[in-house]
Amino acid sequence: SFEALLREYHLHVDEINLVLTKYGRLLYTAGKPYTVYAETINMLTSKKPVLRRQLQGAWDLAFNWVQAEPSAHHIAMPWQVLLSLLSVSLMWGWVDVAGCIALGWGALLRAGEIFAAKRRDLLLPRDVDETILFAILSIHEPKTRHSGPRHQAAKLDTPDLLQVVDLAFGGKI
C-alpha cells in the first residue's frame, strides 16, 4: 500500500508523483477502472493533507485517462418508466407521489431534496399569476453546500410535468 511505502521510504513529493503515475499506468494497462487510481490519490491526500496540492503529475495522468476513456452516463429513468410511474400514481390517487416524481425527474433532484422540501419552497406559475412558465424549488441543504453555493434552486420547465406538479401541490399553501 502507499501508506507503507511512504512510511518505509520517506519519499519526496516528486518521487510520490512518479510512483503514483507509474502505478496509474500499470492500472490503465491492466484494464482497471479509473476510479481505482483516483481513489488511491484521494486516499493518499486524506492521509497526508500536505500533499493535496502537490500531486499535479498524478492528477495529470488521471485527467488523460478520463480523456482517453470518456465515461458514458446512463439515463436515470427512461421517459417510458416515468410515464408509467406517473400514470399508476394518478390512477391510484397518489397525486402527491406523482407530483414528487414529476418534480424530481424534471428538475433533476436528489431524493433527499424532495423529501426535505416544503410547499413554501416551491414557486409555481399560479403563485405569481402565471407570469412565468416554470416552477422553481429552493433547496436549503444542497449536497454541495460545503464546496459550492450554500443555497441552490432547481427549475422545472417541462409543461406536462409542470401540470402534474401543479395538480399535486398547486392548491396547497
Side-chain angles (χ1 to χ4, degrees):
S1 78
F2 281 106
E3 291 178 54
L5 189 66
L6 285 174
R7 279 194 304 271
E8 185 176 341
Y9 294 105
H10 303 291
L11 297 176
H12 187 270
V13 172
D14 294 334
E15 294 169 314
I16 294 170
N17 269 304
L18 183 64
V19 169
L20 281 171
T21 54
K22 283 184 180 182
Y23 178 67
R25 286 189 184 107
L26 286 172
L27 288 174
Y28 183 80
T29 303
K32 300 293 182 185
Y34 159 79
T35 55
V36 172
Y37 181 59
E39 288 305 315
T40 300
I41 299 170
N42 287 330
M43 179 275 306
L44 183 63
T45 58
S46 73
K47 299 288 183 186
K48 298 281 185 190
V50 72
L51 294 175
R52 186 154 299 162
R53 303 224 185 262
Q54 298 179 16
L55 296 180
Q56 190 60 45
W59 282 117
D60 286 346
L61 176 67
F63 177 77
N64 289 333
W65 188 334
V66 171
Q67 293 299 96
E69 290 182 3
S71 59
H73 297 285
H74 301 283
I75 296 173
M77 180 183 357
W79 68 267
Q80 295 92 336
V81 174
L82 173 68
L83 185 59
S84 299
L85 287 171
L86 293 175
S87 298
V88 169
S89 296
L90 291 171
M91 285 185 349
W92 287 354
W94 298 352
V95 180
D96 288 353
V97 171
C100 288
I101 292 170
L103 183 61
W105 196 84
L108 302 174
L109 296 170
R110 295 176 175 89
E113 295 167 343
I114 297 168
F115 290 127
K118 307 273 190 263
R119 174 56 175 95
R120 66 178 174 261
D121 301 327
L122 180 64
L123 179 70
L124 293 170
R126 73 165 56 203
D127 299 333
V128 289
D129 294 327
E130 307 293 331
T131 58
I132 58 172
L133 298 175
F134 52 86
I136 296 178
L137 179 69
S138 177
I139 303 169
H140 295 288
E141 294 287 328
K143 182 178 178 183
T144 58
R145 68 186 172 276
H146 298 298
S147 60
R150 290 198 172 125
H151 302 286
Q152 293 181 7
K155 181 179 178 181
L156 172 65
D157 57 2
T158 307
D160 295 340
L161 296 178
L162 187 56
Q163 282 184 321
V164 175
V165 171
D166 186 71
L167 175 68
F169 307 116
K172 300 175 182 177
I173 296 211

